[in-house]
């Protein structure tokens, strides 16, 4: 039998099953879910909540996470939001009582301001991350206020910045939406749920925002920063649950915090669907189905408490329940239908290919399980297939607004189209996607946008396996990618998922890698047995 790096695929597949059991057990032990710490969100707590436990740890995290070029976060435009946030936070620290590591802070801000000058003047398109059009002007104004405030104490050691040119806005960014939101909040009018996740952009107004109260878990908008902005301080009347939420989140992460917490439904729905789609037998552990259905209502389910319902999480949750043998109505998805396909939420400004791929999964699964489903479902499947095919890029890939990597979007679309599209219609587009993935493979067998990553290698293997092509070139690429994953398990790697800055949903990425190992290992074993 053929081996890869001296390992038999069957043995590795058996090892994958053991790792899956451990992953699922870990997921069920931690109902809040886990993502990577966020430089943006952590910096907002440094600035807005210096009274919160772990303040020094957060400042140290920011200093340690600064890149050699002075910025924070990923390369290019993705670094703008975290660099603005971290710079403003460190300036806030310098304006407070003189810190023990003042010299290091001044040096860090010096480098950060130089990095921001380059980021703001970059003419490239900025990424489509949530609330960027509010976050960037709000933080730019805060930084300029620090640097040029005419009264009060300037940041210690900052005389060199006092007469510097004000930081401008990047091309294409205006204050229009921020101004509108500030006006809305100042009038005391109710705030739309989807704005709560970024309430910190109006931190000065947030404590008095009309109709805003923490939910049962203590969060405002499932965001530590938004919750801290609403709380305003540790002694706010009625703020006990919010303070407990912040302290609990800080304790779980050791000081820094993620952009969103908890993410219970998001994590469990994606992990379940990813593993089941790869053919891994997943016997639902106690409590899994109940957690997926707890908030499932007429408009679907949210990613986690404090966030609005959305079509993406709802569709994946319905698909996960189907894999677990639970029949749930897909009618809640109709409220997201648009002439173009399905919106992530009503009024979405843009189109998400992966949301529509996931809705295709949900409707396609319903048709497979219930052949007598209404004609409306069959028509929706046809429309979704057309919508996805229309958005395939010339080189054969897909892009999406919820992930920095084309490999994620392409894997979502290829898997959905391969399973639920008409074979004659999707064969050529799938082949183009496979050819794109083959051409992008690196010499070490991996794939990656900025560098080789286990996560993106796993997506590429899902593309090759689901694409249906079994040429020697494809089998060799799968073999090399599989070998890479045998050496890299995906527990480390860059943040690639879109929130206010990029994050990594840890267990979802691990599940993606394990599923790819299982699928690729099974394919290689089958080819060897047939040889």
């Amino acid at each position: 039998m053929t081996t890869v790096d001296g390992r038999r695929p069957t043995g590795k597949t058996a090892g994958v099953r053991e790792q899956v059991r451990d992953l699922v057990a870990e997921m069920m032990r931690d109902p809040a879910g886990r993502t990577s710490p966020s430089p943006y969100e952590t910096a907002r707590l440094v600035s807005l909540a210096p009274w919160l436990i772990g303040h020094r740890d957060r400042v140290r995290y920011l200093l340690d996470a600064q890149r050699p070029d002075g910025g924070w976060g990923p390369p290019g435009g993705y670094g703008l939001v975290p660099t603005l946030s971290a710079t403003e936070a460190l300036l806030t620290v310098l304006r407070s009582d003189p810190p023990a590591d003042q010299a290091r802070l001044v040096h860090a801000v010096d480098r950060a301001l130089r990095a921001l000058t380059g980021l703001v003047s970059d003419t490239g398109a900025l990424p489509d991350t949530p609330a960027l059009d509010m976050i960037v002007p709000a933080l730019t104004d805060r930084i300029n206020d620090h640097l040029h405030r005419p009264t009060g104490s300037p940041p210690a050691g900052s005389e060199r910045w006092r007469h510097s040119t004000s930081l401008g806005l990047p091309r294409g960014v205006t204050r229009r939406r921020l101004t509108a939101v500030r006006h809305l909040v100042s009038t005391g009018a109710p705030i739309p749920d989807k704005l709560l996740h970024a309430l910190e952009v109006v931190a000065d107004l947030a404590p008095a925002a009309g109709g805003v109260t923490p939910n049962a878990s203590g969060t405002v908008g499932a965001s530590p920063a938004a919750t801290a902005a609403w709380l305003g301080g540790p002694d706010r009347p009625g703020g006990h649950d919010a303070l407990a939420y912040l302290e609990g989140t800080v304790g779980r992460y050791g000081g820094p915090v993620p952009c969103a917490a908890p993410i219970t439904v998001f994590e469990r729905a994606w992990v379940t669907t990813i593993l089941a789609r790869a053919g891994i037998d997943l016997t639902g552990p106690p409590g899994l189905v109940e957690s997926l259905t707890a908030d499932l209502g007429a408009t679907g389910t949210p990613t986690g408490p404090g966030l609005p319902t959305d079509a993406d999480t709802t569709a994946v949750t319905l698909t996960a329940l189907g894999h677990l043998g639970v029949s749930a109505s897909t009618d809640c998805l109709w409220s997201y239908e648009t002439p173009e396909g399905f919106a992530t939420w009503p009024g979405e400004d843009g189109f998400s290919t992966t949301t529509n791929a996931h809705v295709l999964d949900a409707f396609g699964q319903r048709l497979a399980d219930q052949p007598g489903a209404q004609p409306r479902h069959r028509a929706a499947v046809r429309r979704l297939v057309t919508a996805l095919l229309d958005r395939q890029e010339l080189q054969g890939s897909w892009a999406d607004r919820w992930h920095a990597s084309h490999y994620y979007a392409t894997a979502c679309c290829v898997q959905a189209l391969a399973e639920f599209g008409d074979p004659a219609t999707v064969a050529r587009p799938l082949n183009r996607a496979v050819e794109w993935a083959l051409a992008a493979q690196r010499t070490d067998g991996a794939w990656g946008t900025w560098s080789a990553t286990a996560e993106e290698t796993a997506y590429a293997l899902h593309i090759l396996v689901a694409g249906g092509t079994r040429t020697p070139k494809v089998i060799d690429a799968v073999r090399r990618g599989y070998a890479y994953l045998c050496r890299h398990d995906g527990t480390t790697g860059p943040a690639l998922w879109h929130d206010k800055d990029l994050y990594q949903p840890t267990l979802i990425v691990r599940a993606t890698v394990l599923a790819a190992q299982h699928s690729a290992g099974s394919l290689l074993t089958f080819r060897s047995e047939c040889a």
Side-chain angles (χ1 to χ4, degrees), residues 320-365:
L321 290 170
H323 286 302
L324 294 171
V326 177
S327 178
S329 172
T330 57
D331 288 350
C332 54
L333 289 171
W334 295 123
S335 61
Y336 302 95
E337 190 174 20
T338 72
E340 292 75 31
F342 285 76
T344 307
W345 55 75
E348 178 184 17
D349 183 16
F351 181 94
S352 168
T353 55
T354 61
T355 293
N356 281 270
H358 292 146
V359 174
L360 175 56
D361 286 335
F363 282 141
Q365 183 187 70

Side-chain angles (χ1 to χ4, degrees), residues 142-168:
R142 289 274 298 173
I143 289 172
N144 286 332
D145 181 58
H146 280 302
L147 299 182
H148 306 295
R149 183 177 297 178
T151 59
S153 300
S158 67
E159 291 79 7
R160 73 194 77 183
W161 310 320
R162 294 278 293 163
H163 303 290
S164 61
T165 303
S166 293
L167 189 66

Side-chain angles (χ1 to χ4, degrees), residues 65-330:
Q66 190 174 24
R67 300 191 312 243
D69 67 358
W72 280 264
Y78 280 108
L80 178 61
V81 164
T83 301
L84 282 168
S85 187
T87 304
E88 193 282 329
L90 296 183
L91 283 165
T92 300
V93 173
L94 282 170
R95 195 178 283 279
S96 64
D97 293 334
D101 49 359
Q102 177 177 313
R104 186 182 180 191
L105 282 164
V106 170
H107 180 58
V109 172
D110 267 339
R111 294 162 55 215
L113 290 173
R114 287 195 295 271
L116 280 176
T117 300
L119 286 168
V120 168
S121 61
D122 189 342
T123 59
L126 290 173
D128 184 19
T129 51
L132 180 143
D133 58 345
M134 296 188 297
I135 290 171
V136 170
L139 289 177
T140 298
D141 291 345
R142 289 274 298 173
I143 289 172
N144 286 332
D145 181 58
H146 280 302
L147 299 182
H148 306 295
R149 183 177 297 178
T151 59
S153 300
S158 67
E159 291 79 7
R160 73 194 77 183
W161 310 320
R162 294 278 293 163
H163 303 290
S164 61
T165 303
S166 293
L167 189 66
L169 295 178
R171 187 188 65 164
V173 176
T174 72
R175 290 178 172 81
R176 181 180 58 82
R177 188 172 181 222
L178 177 63
T179 300
V181 170
R182 289 189 62 83
H183 174 73
L184 176 71
V185 176
S186 67
T187 64
I191 300 174
D193 288 347
K194 67 180 181 180
L195 290 180
L196 293 179
H197 188 55
L199 187 63
E200 71 278 1
V201 299
V202 290
D204 57 322
L205 304 174
V212 178
T213 56
N215 64 13
S217 60
T219 77
V220 172
S223 161
T227 304
W230 173 85
L231 194 59
D235 301 320
R236 173 171 181 156
H240 177 269
D241 289 345
L243 181 60
Y245 160 73
L246 289 174
E247 291 178 343
T249 305
V250 166
R252 291 178 65 245
Y253 284 84
V257 291
C259 257
I263 56 164
T264 313
V265 175
F266 169 56
E267 180 179 86
R268 295 183 177 189
W270 258 256
V271 166
T272 300
T273 300
I274 289 165
L275 295 175
R277 181 163 232 157
I280 298 173
D281 182 22
L282 182 66
T283 301
L288 177 57
V289 170
E290 290 77 7
S291 67
L292 292 176
T293 57
D295 295 317
L296 188 60
T299 60
T301 188
T303 287
L307 291 171
T309 58
D310 68 86
D312 198 23
T313 306
T314 299
V316 180
T317 299
L318 293 172
T319 304
L321 290 170
H323 286 302
L324 294 171
V326 177
S327 178
S329 172
T330 57

